[in-house]
C-alpha cells in the first residue's frame, strides 16, 4: 500500500462519526447525536422540542406517555441510514439490533422523528432491526427481551421527569403501541412483533415489579 492510501476504519456503532454522549437509557451501548433529533437536520444545533404537534405545529404541553414500536422492514443494518438526514426523515429514539444491543440516537428529552407529527411529541420510539424478511419480519428473543426492558425502564419515570420531560406512563396496551396502531397506512412493525405485544407488555410488568422489590 502506497503512503497516503491507508483507509480510516469505520466504527460500526457510529458509522458517520456523530458526536457521542453518555446515553440516558442506562442499557444503551452508545448515545449518538443523530441530526434528525434537532429542529434543523442540516444544521443540528437546537434539539427538536416536544412543545408542538401536528402538521399545523399547534402548541402542546410536553409529555412522554407512549412507547411506540417500529421495525426496519429489512435485515440489513440501518444505523448509517438513521445517522443521516435521510430521505424518509426517519430517526427513532432507540435503534435495537439482533443481539439486543441498543443505540440511543435521539435523547429522550428531544422529539424523535419516527411515527408522525401527531405522535412524535408525546412518545419514545424504537426501531427494531428485523431478523428475517417478509412475510413475518421476525425478531430475536434478545430483541423481545430488550423491548420489555426498555418499557419497564420508562415506567420507572411515571410521575417524574425523564431528561427534562414529564412522564405519564403505565405498562399496558394503551401506552405501549405499534406504528400501525397510529396510522392505518402501514403494517409496521410486521405480523411477528404485532402478535407479541401482549407478551412484551406482560414481561415488562414482571421486570418492573422485580425492580421495585429490590
Amino acid at each position: 500500500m502506497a503512503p497516503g492510501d491507508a483507509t480510516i476504519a469505520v466504527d460500526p456503532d457510529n458509522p458517520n462519526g456523530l458526536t457521542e454522549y453518555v446515553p440516558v437509557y442506562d442499557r444503551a451501548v452508545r448515545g449518538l447525536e443523530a441530526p434528525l433529533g434537532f429542529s434543523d437536520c442540516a444544521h443540528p444545533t437546537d434539539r427538536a422540542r416536544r412543545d408542538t404537534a401536528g402538521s399545523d405545529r399547534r402548541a402542546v404541553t410536553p409529555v412522554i406517555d407512549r412507547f411506540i414500536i417500529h421495525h426496519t422492514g429489512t435485515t440489513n443494518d440501518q444505523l448509517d441510514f438513521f445517522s443521516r438526514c435521510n430521505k424518509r426523515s426517519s430517526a427513532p429514539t432507540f435503534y435495537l439490533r439482533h443481539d439486543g444491543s441498543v443505540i440511543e440516537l435521539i435523547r429522550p428529552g428531544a422529539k424523535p422523528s419516527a411515527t408522525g407529527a401527531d405522535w412524535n411529541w408525546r412518545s419514545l420510539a424504537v426501531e427494531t432491526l428485523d431478523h428475517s424478511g417478509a412475510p413475518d419480519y421476525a425478531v430475536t428473543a434478545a430483541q423481545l427481551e430488550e423491548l420489555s426492558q426498555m418499557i419497564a425502564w420508562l415506567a420507572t419515570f411515571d410521575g417524574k421527569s425523564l431528561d427534562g420531560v414529564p412522564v405519564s406512563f403505565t405498562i399496558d396496551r394503551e401506552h405501549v403501541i405499534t406504528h400501525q396502531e397510529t396510522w392505518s397506512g402501514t403494517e409496521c412493525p410486521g405480523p411477528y412483533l404485532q402478535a407479541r405485544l401482549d407478551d412484551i407488555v406482560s414481561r415488562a410488568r414482571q421486570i418492573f415489579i422485580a425492580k421495585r422489590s429490590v
Side-chain angles (χ1 to χ4, degrees), residues 71 75 98 129-140 143 189 192-193:
H71 78 145
T75 58
H98 298 150
L129 177 62
D130 289 308
H131 193 247
S132 72
D136 290 336
Y137 295 107
V139 302
T140 67
Q143 288 172 302
Y192 185 90
L193 267 174

Side-chain angles (χ1 to χ4, degrees), residues 34 42 47 57 78 94 136 161 181 199 202:
R47 289 197 176 91
R57 296 185 59 81
Q78 296 295 292
F94 305 115
D136 290 336
S161 290
E181 292 169 346
D199 292 339
S202 178

Side-chain angles (χ1 to χ4, degrees), residues 53-73:
S55 57
D56 57 351
R57 296 185 59 81
R58 66 187 181 278
V60 292
T61 301
V63 68
I64 296 171
D65 66 3
R66 294 294 189 276
F67 184 90
I68 304 180
I69 298 173
H70 299 245
H71 78 145
T72 58

Side-chain angles (χ1 to χ4, degrees), residues 48-186:
R49 296 165 58 93
R50 291 181 175 270
D51 57 1
T52 59
S55 57
D56 57 351
R57 296 185 59 81
R58 66 187 181 278
V60 292
T61 301
V63 68
I64 296 171
D65 66 3
R66 294 294 189 276
F67 184 90
I68 304 180
I69 298 173
H70 299 245
H71 78 145
T72 58
T74 179
T75 58
N76 297 323
D77 193 88
Q78 296 295 292
L79 185 56
D80 176 75
F81 179 79
F82 292 131
S83 298
R84 295 184 273 111
C85 297
N86 56 67
K87 61 185 179 182
R88 296 205 322 263
S89 294
S90 175
T93 314
F94 305 115
Y95 174 56
L96 177 57
R97 284 170 160 165
H98 298 150
D99 62 358
S101 62
V102 177
I103 305 289
E104 188 174 292
L105 285 167
I106 297 175
R107 290 188 67 106
K111 183 163 57 177
S113 183
T115 313
D118 288 319
W119 292 94
N120 288 331
W121 70 275
R122 65 190 301 180
S123 63
L124 298 185
V126 55
E127 283 275 357
T128 311
L129 177 62
D130 289 308
H131 193 247
S132 72
D136 290 336
Y137 295 107
V139 302
T140 67
Q143 288 172 302
L144 292 174
E145 173 67 13
E146 187 55 40
L147 287 168
S148 295
Q149 291 283 350
M150 285 190 278
I151 293 163
W153 168 80
L154 178 57
T156 65
F157 292 92
D158 179 49
K160 306 173 186 176
S161 290
L162 171 59
D163 201 30
V165 179
V167 175
S168 178
F169 182 80
T170 303
I171 303 175
D172 58 28
R173 284 288 282 113
E174 177 184 355
H175 295 83
V176 179
I177 60 177
T178 65
H179 190 188
Q180 69 177 253
E181 292 169 346
T182 70
W183 179 46
S184 61
T186 181

